[in-house]
Amino acid sequence: MDLQFLGGAREVGRSAILVNDRLLLDYGMLAGEPPQYPIDVPEPEAVVVGHGHLDHAGAVPALLSGDARPPIHWTPPTRELALTLARDTLKLHGGTLQCPFTETDVRRVTQVSETHGYEETFETAGHEVTFSNAGHIPGSAHVLVDDGDARLLYTGDFHTDDQRLVSGTTARPDADVIICESTYSDVDHEARSTVEERFVESVETTLWEGGTVVVPAFAIGRTQEMLLICEAYDIPCYVDGMGKGVTEMLLRYPEFVRDPTALRRAKSHARFVTGRNGQRERITDQPAAIVTTSGMLSGGPAMTYIPAIRSNPTNKITLTGYQVEGTPGRRLVETGSAEIDGRVLPVSAQVEQYDFSAHADRDGLRAFLDGYRDAEILVNHGDRCSAFAAELTADGFDASAPENGETVVVGE
Ligand SMILES: [Zn+2]
């Protein structure tokens, strides 16, 4: 089996791996100024996408810009999320060199899409493929690929612990080769219940003092997780941004959500912001949580809320995940000021950061890989892939960290 790494090797973003020159796993983009895409535009016979985040699914329509019409295989939520992201990318970058696809290409995606549930084996481009729950976001999958000679398990992004929105991964299909993500290979997450309790206590304190809490959150996964927490603790909340539509979409695929009844309750509990008649300005005076995109303050309605609440020290901004270097969220944490529309504004409101990660941490990765001591491990999707591969090797694994552009022959 030949594995060609076209993106996401020794980095996070633009994941793309070509198997046996025929089957493409993921085709993502790295958001940024400018956005980055995989190092090559392959011409696969078929495409398999593991989950609906930008760095795994964001560039898929570009594969249909020529004459080729490879089928695209994914779970139903991944399909919906990929289309949502593609339309958003068109809105941000459409018609410029920063966007490698057009509206027509996005429409073609719907024509070649083939959806599959977990544990339903299908055949494509000469390979048998099976998805299993990866516990990262709804619809996220580990991808098992069998070419008749070797069985490859591409973990994609995964979490071993339960979140409110999705259950952790439990599937451990037999495999000879593992491509394993390593986003948090040197991190020990605080227990989710502890993070949640600290978060809830902090939000409740602010609301009790009459303040407003802005909760920046990614649209996909994190927004719904925050709404589930608000409902569970009866925290009055609003939801704004792309996360609104994603929440409604996920309710159409209850089998990919851990507790659909809870998500339905969370949706009714949250007030959806329409933005009409100055609603955004008005609700920044209310003692409520406002769950809104973007998670790293790089756009979205958060850009309206932060200036409105920033000068009152009773108010609070609770970031809900890791802030990538160079993002306004990171700047806010480090300098206490926010950059909005090119203006640097001091923030007197309290700023806090919580680690609601949807990835396995060091222990989770090791526990997962312990089931694969005889397999060949290829580490990808991380800032320290080589270091993690070296740790695994020291512990007796056959592990390495390929680079972008490298072709690895496995299972011989
Ligand atoms: Zn992801």
Side-chain angles (χ1 to χ4, degrees), residues 123-158:
E123 213 175 304
T124 192
H127 296 74
E128 275 190 1
V129 178
T130 313
F131 293 145
S132 45
N133 170 37
H136 176 58
I137 58 169
S140 67
H142 300 304
V143 182
L144 184 70
V145 177
D146 190 336
D147 71 354
D149 290 326
R151 292 160 303 176
L152 163 72
L153 180 65
Y154 173 47
T155 66
D157 295 358
F158 69 96

mmCIF file of all heavy atoms in Angstrom, residues 123-158:
data_model
loop_
_atom_site.group_PDB
_atom_site.id
_atom_site.type_symbol
_atom_site.label_atom_id
_atom_site.label_comp_id
_atom_site.label_asym_id
_atom_site.label_seq_id
_atom_site.Cartn_x
_atom_site.Cartn_y
_atom_site.Cartn_z
ATOM 1 N N GLU A 123 -17.516 -0.438 -1.090
ATOM 2 C CA GLU A 123 -16.363 -0.601 -1.957
ATOM 3 C C GLU A 123 -16.229 0.602 -2.865
ATOM 4 O O GLU A 123 -17.226 1.078 -3.418
ATOM 5 C CB GLU A 123 -16.536 -1.871 -2.786
ATOM 6 C CG GLU A 123 -15.215 -2.537 -3.067
ATOM 7 C CD GLU A 123 -15.394 -3.866 -3.775
ATOM 8 O OE1 GLU A 123 -16.113 -4.730 -3.230
ATOM 9 O OE2 GLU A 123 -14.830 -4.003 -4.874
ATOM 10 N N THR A 124 -14.990 1.093 -3.006
ATOM 11 C CA THR A 124 -14.784 2.223 -3.921
ATOM 12 C C THR A 124 -13.335 2.253 -4.381
ATOM 13 O O THR A 124 -12.422 1.965 -3.597
ATOM 14 C CB THR A 124 -15.195 3.560 -3.241
ATOM 15 O OG1 THR A 124 -15.240 4.589 -4.229
ATOM 16 C CG2 THR A 124 -14.254 3.964 -2.126
ATOM 17 N N ALA A 125 -13.125 2.544 -5.641
ATOM 18 C CA ALA A 125 -11.780 2.635 -6.235
ATOM 19 C C ALA A 125 -10.903 1.442 -5.843
ATOM 20 O O ALA A 125 -9.725 1.610 -5.529
ATOM 21 C CB ALA A 125 -11.112 3.951 -5.834
ATOM 22 N N GLY A 126 -11.492 0.245 -5.834
ATOM 23 C CA GLY A 126 -10.720 -0.967 -5.552
ATOM 24 C C GLY A 126 -10.380 -1.184 -4.087
ATOM 25 O O GLY A 126 -9.519 -1.999 -3.754
ATOM 26 N N HIS A 127 -11.027 -0.445 -3.202
ATOM 27 C CA HIS A 127 -10.769 -0.588 -1.769
ATOM 28 C C HIS A 127 -12.074 -0.837 -1.013
ATOM 29 O O HIS A 127 -13.130 -0.336 -1.411
ATOM 30 C CB HIS A 127 -10.124 0.681 -1.203
ATOM 31 C CG HIS A 127 -8.774 0.975 -1.778
ATOM 32 N ND1 HIS A 127 -8.596 1.466 -3.046
ATOM 33 C CD2 HIS A 127 -7.529 0.844 -1.249
ATOM 34 C CE1 HIS A 127 -7.302 1.625 -3.283
ATOM 35 N NE2 HIS A 127 -6.632 1.258 -2.202
ATOM 36 N N GLU A 128 -11.975 -1.600 0.085
ATOM 37 C CA GLU A 128 -13.109 -1.716 1.003
ATOM 38 C C GLU A 128 -12.931 -0.686 2.110
ATOM 39 O O GLU A 128 -11.870 -0.606 2.721
ATOM 40 C CB GLU A 128 -13.152 -3.119 1.616
ATOM 41 C CG GLU A 128 -13.882 -4.101 0.740
ATOM 42 C CD GLU A 128 -14.139 -5.418 1.445
ATOM 43 O OE1 GLU A 128 -13.762 -5.582 2.628
ATOM 44 O OE2 GLU A 128 -14.724 -6.296 0.787
ATOM 45 N N VAL A 129 -13.975 0.080 2.358
ATOM 46 C CA VAL A 129 -13.871 1.179 3.322
ATOM 47 C C VAL A 129 -14.975 1.038 4.377
ATOM 48 O O VAL A 129 -16.117 0.718 4.037
ATOM 49 C CB VAL A 129 -14.006 2.545 2.607
ATOM 50 C CG1 VAL A 129 -13.942 3.699 3.603
ATOM 51 C CG2 VAL A 129 -12.921 2.704 1.540
ATOM 52 N N THR A 130 -14.606 1.258 5.635
ATOM 53 C CA THR A 130 -15.593 1.211 6.722
ATOM 54 C C THR A 130 -15.370 2.389 7.668
ATOM 55 O O THR A 130 -14.242 2.650 8.094
ATOM 56 C CB THR A 130 -15.454 -0.096 7.545
ATOM 57 O OG1 THR A 130 -15.353 -1.199 6.647
ATOM 58 C CG2 THR A 130 -16.645 -0.286 8.476
ATOM 59 N N PHE A 131 -16.446 3.102 7.985
ATOM 60 C CA PHE A 131 -16.382 4.194 8.962
ATOM 61 C C PHE A 131 -16.718 3.657 10.351
ATOM 62 O O PHE A 131 -17.560 2.779 10.487
ATOM 63 C CB PHE A 131 -17.436 5.270 8.646
ATOM 64 C CG PHE A 131 -17.193 6.040 7.369
ATOM 65 C CD1 PHE A 131 -18.263 6.469 6.589
ATOM 66 C CD2 PHE A 131 -15.907 6.359 6.958
ATOM 67 C CE1 PHE A 131 -18.057 7.196 5.416
ATOM 68 C CE2 PHE A 131 -15.684 7.089 5.788
ATOM 69 C CZ PHE A 131 -16.762 7.503 5.016
ATOM 70 N N SER A 132 -16.077 4.209 11.383
ATOM 71 C CA SER A 132 -16.595 4.000 12.738
ATOM 72 C C SER A 132 -16.510 5.310 13.515
ATOM 73 O O SER A 132 -15.723 6.194 13.150
ATOM 74 C CB SER A 132 -15.845 2.873 13.452
ATOM 75 O OG SER A 132 -14.459 2.997 13.272
ATOM 76 N N ASN A 133 -17.329 5.425 14.550
ATOM 77 C CA ASN A 133 -17.425 6.686 15.296
ATOM 78 C C ASN A 133 -16.077 7.096 15.884
ATOM 79 O O ASN A 133 -15.455 6.336 16.612
ATOM 80 C CB ASN A 133 -18.451 6.526 16.427
ATOM 81 C CG ASN A 133 -18.429 7.710 17.390
ATOM 82 O OD1 ASN A 133 -18.249 8.851 16.972
ATOM 83 N ND2 ASN A 133 -18.600 7.433 18.680
ATOM 84 N N ALA A 134 -15.645 8.327 15.593
ATOM 85 C CA ALA A 134 -14.363 8.819 16.098
ATOM 86 C C ALA A 134 -14.535 9.724 17.321
ATOM 87 O O ALA A 134 -13.542 10.151 17.913
ATOM 88 C CB ALA A 134 -13.613 9.568 14.996
ATOM 89 N N GLY A 135 -15.768 10.046 17.700
ATOM 90 C CA GLY A 135 -16.000 10.783 18.944
ATOM 91 C C GLY A 135 -15.519 12.225 18.948
ATOM 92 O O GLY A 135 -15.350 12.815 20.009
ATOM 93 N N HIS A 136 -15.323 12.809 17.771
ATOM 94 C CA HIS A 136 -14.760 14.169 17.679
ATOM 95 C C HIS A 136 -15.888 15.197 17.544
ATOM 96 O O HIS A 136 -16.048 16.066 18.401
ATOM 97 C CB HIS A 136 -13.810 14.184 16.479
ATOM 98 C CG HIS A 136 -13.191 15.501 16.146
ATOM 99 N ND1 HIS A 136 -12.426 16.212 17.035
ATOM 100 C CD2 HIS A 136 -13.201 16.225 14.990
ATOM 101 C CE1 HIS A 136 -11.995 17.324 16.443
ATOM 102 N NE2 HIS A 136 -12.468 17.357 15.216
ATOM 103 N N ILE A 137 -16.666 15.090 16.476
ATOM 104 C CA ILE A 137 -17.881 15.890 16.262
ATOM 105 C C ILE A 137 -18.917 14.950 15.632
ATOM 106 O O ILE A 137 -18.558 13.863 15.190
ATOM 107 C CB ILE A 137 -17.634 17.104 15.321
ATOM 108 C CG1 ILE A 137 -17.097 16.639 13.959
ATOM 109 C CG2 ILE A 137 -16.700 18.110 15.978
ATOM 110 C CD1 ILE A 137 -17.082 17.724 12.890
ATOM 111 N N PRO A 138 -20.190 15.351 15.564
ATOM 112 C CA PRO A 138 -21.179 14.468 14.935
ATOM 113 C C PRO A 138 -20.773 14.094 13.507
ATOM 114 O O PRO A 138 -20.388 14.958 12.722
ATOM 115 C CB PRO A 138 -22.452 15.313 14.954
ATOM 116 C CG PRO A 138 -22.288 16.184 16.155
ATOM 117 C CD PRO A 138 -20.814 16.535 16.164
ATOM 118 N N GLY A 139 -20.835 12.811 13.206
ATOM 119 C CA GLY A 139 -20.488 12.313 11.876
ATOM 120 C C GLY A 139 -19.009 12.020 11.692
ATOM 121 O O GLY A 139 -18.608 11.474 10.659
ATOM 122 N N SER A 140 -18.173 12.372 12.655
ATOM 123 C CA SER A 140 -16.729 12.154 12.495
ATOM 124 C C SER A 140 -16.422 10.666 12.496
ATOM 125 O O SER A 140 -17.021 9.897 13.246
ATOM 126 C CB SER A 140 -15.939 12.852 13.607
ATOM 127 O OG SER A 140 -16.199 12.261 14.864
ATOM 128 N N ALA A 141 -15.471 10.267 11.641
ATOM 129 C CA ALA A 141 -15.221 8.840 11.451
ATOM 130 C C ALA A 141 -13.735 8.504 11.469
ATOM 131 O O ALA A 141 -12.910 9.256 10.954
ATOM 132 C CB ALA A 141 -15.818 8.390 10.126
ATOM 133 N N HIS A 142 -13.427 7.341 12.080
ATOM 134 C CA HIS A 142 -12.189 6.653 11.755
ATOM 135 C C HIS A 142 -12.458 5.979 10.412
ATOM 136 O O HIS A 142 -13.550 5.436 10.197
ATOM 137 C CB HIS A 142 -11.884 5.538 12.755
ATOM 138 C CG HIS A 142 -11.717 5.980 14.178
ATOM 139 N ND1 HIS A 142 -10.816 6.938 14.574
ATOM 140 C CD2 HIS A 142 -12.313 5.551 15.313
ATOM 141 C CE1 HIS A 142 -10.875 7.081 15.891
ATOM 142 N NE2 HIS A 142 -11.782 6.256 16.360
ATOM 143 N N VAL A 143 -11.472 5.977 9.525
ATOM 144 C CA VAL A 143 -11.672 5.376 8.203
ATOM 145 C C VAL A 143 -10.777 4.152 8.068
ATOM 146 O O VAL A 143 -9.547 4.268 8.112
ATOM 147 C CB VAL A 143 -11.336 6.392 7.083
ATOM 148 C CG1 VAL A 143 -11.601 5.770 5.715
ATOM 149 C CG2 VAL A 143 -12.145 7.678 7.259
ATOM 150 N N LEU A 144 -11.387 2.978 7.940
ATOM 151 C CA LEU A 144 -10.638 1.742 7.726
ATOM 152 C C LEU A 144 -10.617 1.449 6.233
ATOM 153 O O LEU A 144 -11.668 1.393 5.589
ATOM 154 C CB LEU A 144 -11.305 0.588 8.489
ATOM 155 C CG LEU A 144 -10.569 -0.755 8.428
ATOM 156 C CD1 LEU A 144 -9.263 -0.705 9.221
ATOM 157 C CD2 LEU A 144 -11.457 -1.884 8.951
ATOM 158 N N VAL A 145 -9.404 1.290 5.675
ATOM 159 C CA VAL A 145 -9.252 1.077 4.230
ATOM 160 C C VAL A 145 -8.514 -0.241 4.005
ATOM 161 O O VAL A 145 -7.408 -0.426 4.512
ATOM 162 C CB VAL A 145 -8.433 2.223 3.588
ATOM 163 C CG1 VAL A 145 -8.225 1.961 2.097
ATOM 164 C CG2 VAL A 145 -9.121 3.564 3.800
ATOM 165 N N ASP A 146 -9.120 -1.156 3.249
ATOM 166 C CA ASP A 146 -8.517 -2.461 2.983
ATOM 167 C C ASP A 146 -8.286 -2.596 1.480
ATOM 168 O O ASP A 146 -9.246 -2.535 0.704
ATOM 169 C CB ASP A 146 -9.478 -3.556 3.492
ATOM 170 C CG ASP A 146 -8.818 -4.934 3.485
ATOM 171 O OD1 ASP A 146 -7.861 -5.135 2.720
ATOM 172 O OD2 ASP A 146 -9.290 -5.810 4.252
ATOM 173 N N ASP A 147 -7.026 -2.736 1.066
ATOM 174 C CA ASP A 147 -6.755 -2.871 -0.374
ATOM 175 C C ASP A 147 -6.501 -4.326 -0.761
ATOM 176 O O ASP A 147 -6.037 -4.614 -1.863
ATOM 177 C CB ASP A 147 -5.591 -1.968 -0.810
ATOM 178 C CG ASP A 147 -4.241 -2.455 -0.289
ATOM 179 O OD1 ASP A 147 -4.197 -3.429 0.500
ATOM 180 O OD2 ASP A 147 -3.216 -1.860 -0.679
ATOM 181 N N GLY A 148 -6.799 -5.254 0.158
ATOM 182 C CA GLY A 148 -6.601 -6.677 -0.124
ATOM 183 C C GLY A 148 -5.264 -7.173 0.394
ATOM 184 O O GLY A 148 -5.115 -8.342 0.729
ATOM 185 N N ASP A 149 -4.286 -6.266 0.489
ATOM 186 C CA ASP A 149 -2.972 -6.633 1.023
ATOM 187 C C ASP A 149 -2.790 -6.124 2.443
ATOM 188 O O ASP A 149 -2.222 -6.789 3.288
ATOM 189 C CB ASP A 149 -1.848 -6.033 0.155
ATOM 190 C CG ASP A 149 -1.767 -6.712 -1.191
ATOM 191 O OD1 ASP A 149 -2.036 -7.931 -1.240
ATOM 192 O OD2 ASP A 149 -1.465 -6.020 -2.188
ATOM 193 N N ALA A 150 -3.247 -4.907 2.685
ATOM 194 C CA ALA A 150 -3.040 -4.281 3.993
ATOM 195 C C ALA A 150 -4.302 -3.539 4.421
ATOM 196 O O ALA A 150 -5.094 -3.096 3.588
ATOM 197 C CB ALA A 150 -1.856 -3.315 3.924
ATOM 198 N N ARG A 151 -4.447 -3.452 5.744
ATOM 199 C CA ARG A 151 -5.580 -2.692 6.294
ATOM 200 C C ARG A 151 -5.034 -1.431 6.968
ATOM 201 O O ARG A 151 -4.226 -1.514 7.892
ATOM 202 C CB ARG A 151 -6.331 -3.538 7.328
ATOM 203 C CG ARG A 151 -7.067 -4.730 6.728
ATOM 204 C CD ARG A 151 -7.359 -5.760 7.786
ATOM 205 N NE ARG A 151 -6.114 -6.190 8.455
ATOM 206 C CZ ARG A 151 -6.062 -7.030 9.478
ATOM 207 N NH1 ARG A 151 -7.168 -7.523 9.988
ATOM 208 N NH2 ARG A 151 -4.896 -7.378 10.018
ATOM 209 N N LEU A 152 -5.490 -0.285 6.454
ATOM 210 C CA LEU A 152 -5.074 1.010 6.992
ATOM 211 C C LEU A 152 -6.204 1.583 7.838
ATOM 212 O O LEU A 152 -7.347 1.627 7.398
ATOM 213 C CB LEU A 152 -4.769 1.972 5.838
ATOM 214 C CG LEU A 152 -4.713 3.469 6.203
ATOM 215 C CD1 LEU A 152 -3.465 3.796 7.016
ATOM 216 C CD2 LEU A 152 -4.762 4.334 4.944
ATOM 217 N N LEU A 153 -5.855 2.030 9.056
ATOM 218 C CA LEU A 153 -6.833 2.778 9.846
ATOM 219 C C LEU A 153 -6.374 4.232 9.920
ATOM 220 O O LEU A 153 -5.339 4.535 10.516
ATOM 221 C CB LEU A 153 -6.960 2.197 11.259
ATOM 222 C CG LEU A 153 -7.974 2.928 12.142
ATOM 223 C CD1 LEU A 153 -9.395 2.772 11.601
ATOM 224 C CD2 LEU A 153 -7.915 2.434 13.586
ATOM 225 N N TYR A 154 -7.130 5.095 9.272
ATOM 226 C CA TYR A 154 -6.869 6.534 9.332
ATOM 227 C C TYR A 154 -7.744 7.070 10.452
ATOM 228 O O TYR A 154 -8.970 7.112 10.325
ATOM 229 C CB TYR A 154 -7.209 7.153 7.971
ATOM 230 C CG TYR A 154 -7.148 8.665 7.922
ATOM 231 C CD1 TYR A 154 -6.067 9.369 8.443
ATOM 232 C CD2 TYR A 154 -8.168 9.395 7.316
ATOM 233 C CE1 TYR A 154 -6.011 10.749 8.377
ATOM 234 C CE2 TYR A 154 -8.118 10.779 7.237
ATOM 235 C CZ TYR A 154 -7.044 11.447 7.776
ATOM 236 O OH TYR A 154 -6.990 12.824 7.713
ATOM 237 N N THR A 155 -7.127 7.481 11.556
ATOM 238 C CA THR A 155 -7.940 7.829 12.734
ATOM 239 C C THR A 155 -8.769 9.082 12.500
ATOM 240 O O THR A 155 -9.851 9.216 13.051
ATOM 241 C CB THR A 155 -7.075 8.088 13.987
ATOM 242 O OG1 THR A 155 -6.275 9.271 13.789
ATOM 243 C CG2 THR A 155 -6.200 6.896 14.308
ATOM 244 N N GLY A 156 -8.262 10.019 11.654
ATOM 245 C CA GLY A 156 -8.870 11.343 11.619
ATOM 246 C C GLY A 156 -8.781 11.950 13.006
ATOM 247 O O GLY A 156 -8.113 11.398 13.897
ATOM 248 N N ASP A 157 -9.429 13.076 13.218
ATOM 249 C CA ASP A 157 -9.465 13.666 14.563
ATOM 250 C C ASP A 157 -10.369 12.802 15.431
ATOM 251 O O ASP A 157 -11.441 12.396 14.992
ATOM 252 C CB ASP A 157 -10.021 15.091 14.500
ATOM 253 C CG ASP A 157 -9.110 16.035 13.730
ATOM 254 O OD1 ASP A 157 -8.040 15.584 13.276
ATOM 255 O OD2 ASP A 157 -9.465 17.217 13.572
ATOM 256 N N PHE A 158 -9.939 12.526 16.656
ATOM 257 C CA PHE A 158 -10.776 11.678 17.506
ATOM 258 C C PHE A 158 -10.654 12.056 18.971
ATOM 259 O O PHE A 158 -9.713 12.718 19.391
ATOM 260 C CB PHE A 158 -10.456 10.196 17.301
ATOM 261 C CG PHE A 158 -9.098 9.740 17.818
ATOM 262 C CD1 PHE A 158 -8.976 9.150 19.072
ATOM 263 C CD2 PHE A 158 -7.959 9.878 17.032
ATOM 264 C CE1 PHE A 158 -7.739 8.707 19.543
ATOM 265 C CE2 PHE A 158 -6.714 9.439 17.490
ATOM 266 C CZ PHE A 158 -6.606 8.853 18.747
#
